[in-house]
Amino acid sequence: DAGVTQSPTHLIKTRGQQVTLRCSPISGHKSVSWYQQVLGQGPQFIFQYYEKEERGRGNFPDRFSARQFPNYSSELNVNALLLGDSALYLCASSRFQNTEAFFGQGTRLTVV
Amino acid sequence: GESVGLHLPTLSVQEGDNSIINCAYSNSASDYFIWYKQESGKGPQFIIDIRSNMDKRQGQRVTVLLNKTVKHLSLQIAATQPGDSAVYFCAENIEGNDMRFGAGTRLTVKP
């Protein structure tokens, strides 16, 4: 079975640009969560989607948005990129809310 | 791959010894806890979980202990191997919303 897949794996963007990151959950998983991990820290929660509805949001500015599609895949959008947005963006899927979550390999975003 | 956690608490053990990694969590309402292992350049890998109605759970070579009184979680790894070298994170979950991760501990296994 395929695990959580994220694309792209690496991305370089310029300040002010917009970026879209993609995540395909494990088959049968209905919950997708997004995390930001900067170097030297643990992942920080951004969003959780379950059954295509937003169920949780972390302390991130409105420049960050996400959605979940009918096939349970998800996109994370970040507008007006700042240098500080450079990080590893992780997607995790779980069968339901509050069950074991499995992470993808992440998308490494570098903002220059 | 790049290193995760350049200034993390560290634990160094000899191959074959047992390892104990500790974590203090913040919210007494947390009802679900997970330990993750993260190797350089990779996403976190699920190790073991425990719910708040339990105080101990065992997996293959790993045991998680939960002490709700002092809000403390530990991960015990038996017969630690070089492949166990990684950064270990505990995560707490409150009512199925978001997972809050600790700062992580870097485990180094010496051959």
Side-chain angles (χ1 to χ4, degrees):
Chain A
D1 285 344
V4 178
T5 57
Q6 292 186 243
S7 63
T9 55
H10 294 82
L11 200 54
I12 299 175
K13 289 286 191 177
T14 305
R15 277 179 298 173
Q17 285 188 314
Q18 175 266 342
V19 69
T20 298
L21 310 181
R22 296 177 175 81
C23 173
S24 293
I26 293 171
S27 178
H29 285 196
K30 299 181 178 181
S31 177
V32 170
S33 297
W34 288 94
Y35 293 81
Q36 181 196 66
Q37 186 176 29
V38 300
L39 193 63
Q41 297 181 19
Q44 298 294 310
F45 172 73
I46 309 176
F47 286 108
Q48 185 192 58
Y49 278 78
Y50 178 67
E51 287 286 15
K52 292 151 279 184
E53 292 185 3
E54 182 182 308
R55 299 301 181 103
R57 184 183 183 118
N59 188 24
F60 280 80
D62 291 343
R63 299 184 295 108
F64 289 76
S65 63
R67 55 180 174 169
Q68 187 177 32
F69 298 98
N71 66 353
Y72 301 107
S73 67
S74 178
E75 287 182 351
L76 175 70
N77 294 284
V78 187
N79 293 324
L81 286 165
L82 303 174
L83 295 179
D85 294 330
S86 295
L88 181 66
Y89 287 84
L90 295 161
C91 172
S93 80
S94 56
R95 190 170 298 277
F96 306 108
Q97 287 184 285
N98 208 21
T99 56
E100 52 191 272
F102 297 89
F103 283 83
Q105 298 285 49
T107 294
R108 168 64 58 189
L109 173 65
T110 302
V111 182
V112 296
Chain B
E2 67 169 33
S3 298
V4 173
L6 297 178
H7 303 290
L8 296 172
T10 59
L11 174 65
S12 183
V13 301
Q14 205 69 36
E15 181 179 358
D17 287 351
N18 296 332
S19 302
I20 300 177
I21 301 172
N22 296 303
C23 175
Y25 64 93
S26 59
N27 196 319
S28 56
S30 296
D31 57 3
Y32 180 53
F33 305 87
I34 306 176
W35 279 100
Y36 286 95
K37 170 187 180 183
Q38 188 171 28
E39 297 173 288
S40 182
K42 297 184 178 180
Q45 175 187 353
F46 176 92
I47 301 174
I48 191 168
D49 59 358
I50 188 168
R51 298 200 178 271
S52 58
N53 61 351
M54 303 173 68
D55 53 21
K56 180 179 180 179
R57 190 161 188 230
Q58 289 184 292
Q60 187 178 15
R61 279 202 309 121
V62 295
T63 301
V64 55
L65 299 177
L66 174 62
N67 184 331
K68 295 181 286 293
T69 302
V70 295
K71 293 190 288 187
H72 183 267
L73 199 65
S74 69
L75 176 70
Q76 300 176 3
I77 305 174
T80 314
Q81 303 167 1
D84 295 327
S85 294
V87 177
Y88 288 80
F89 292 99
C90 66
E92 59 182 304
N93 187 287
I94 306 170
E95 298 178 344
N97 289 325
D98 62 273
M99 274 194 294
R100 303 294 175 97
F101 282 76
T105 296
R106 180 180 299 282
L107 174 66
T108 301
V109 181
K110 296 176 289 186

